[in-house]
Amino acid sequence: MIANGLVRRGDCPKIAWKNGGGTTRTIAVSPPGAGLENFIWRLSIAEITRPGCFSYFAGIERTIAVIEGELGMDIATARTLRLDPASAPFAFNGETNVLAAPINGPVTDLNLMVRRGACTGEMRRVPSGPLFVGGAIAIIVAQEHSELTVNDGAVKMNPGDAYRCRSADFRKATLSHGAFLVELTPT
């Protein structure tokens, strides 16, 4: 079960990458306390400071979206991408070789990882206004300073802050500014 409520980006411990190219803050993971080898799903925010390869995750579906900065990605399938805060989230499998490089400064991105066969997950941008949510669990991640109104209560959010709960709790929810919506459904 996921704990409901606001998760402040700054309250999530910052973990340095082994390769020294950045840091990660885990926003939410299932089951609670799971590590990289046994999570069902995981949502995190990373700060990329220099070029490097993405970690290899067998059996994992990944989605990445840029919150701040611009990220160049060279993908083993001979595809090259540039992601920025206006780009749609990009989905790929964890076995794909990806070289990522920040362009003109550090990049902050949102990362969703789900274990194939155990969960499905989708990340998308949502505009300001009413929220329409599916899936069993929903997590809203602010892209900018925003206010989220949920069932007659308002929460002020900073960039990278997250609000998580069961989708049913978002029946009467509105956003003052666009954000990312992550929907998760255990299989």
Side-chain angles (χ1 to χ4, degrees):
M1 186 61 159
I2 185 171
N4 289 348
L6 181 65
V7 178
R8 296 276 182 209
R9 173 180 171 177
D11 292 342
C12 300
K14 190 185 284 191
I15 309 294
W17 295 350
K18 290 179 186 177
N19 69 6
T23 59
T24 298
R25 296 175 188 263
T26 300
I27 296 171
V29 64
S30 179
L36 292 176
E37 63 288 336
N38 62 347
F39 65 85
I40 295 171
W41 60 263
R42 180 177 184 263
L43 185 65
S44 63
I45 290 181
E47 295 171 10
I48 304 172
T49 57
R50 66 179 200 208
C53 291
F54 280 11
S55 297
Y56 180 88
F57 284 100
I60 302 296
E61 295 296 328
R62 299 182 70 172
T63 306
I64 183 172
V66 171
I67 296 174
E68 299 166 345
E70 187 174 4
L71 184 65
M73 294 175 59
D74 289 323
I75 303 163
T77 58
R79 186 173 180 195
T80 301
L81 296 174
R82 285 178 89 129
L83 301 177
D84 62 32
S87 301
F90 176 69
F92 59 101
N93 69 53
E95 296 90 358
T96 302
N97 291 323
V98 177
L99 174 63
I103 299 169
N104 298 322
V107 171
T108 302
D109 64 35
L110 182 63
N111 298 283
L112 172 64
M113 295 193 290
V114 297
R115 191 164 307 280
R116 272 185 223 117
C119 185
T120 61
E122 180 184 356
M123 180 193 308
R124 60 186 164 99
R125 292 182 187 280
V126 291
S128 61
L131 286 173
F132 302 96
V133 179
I137 298 164
I139 304 172
I140 298 292
V141 181
Q143 188 172 356
E144 57 187 286
H145 294 280
S146 188
E147 184 172 279
L148 172 66
T149 303
V150 180
N151 300 329
D152 303 326
V155 177
K156 294 203 181 291
M157 298 174 72
N158 299 315
D161 287 351
Y163 189 90
R164 58 191 190 180
C165 67
R166 296 170 318 159
S167 293
D169 295 336
F170 275 119
R171 281 190 203 121
K172 293 181 182 178
T174 58
L175 279 167
S176 66
H177 293 83
F180 295 100
L181 171 61
V182 175
E183 296 171 293
L184 299 151
T185 304
T187 54

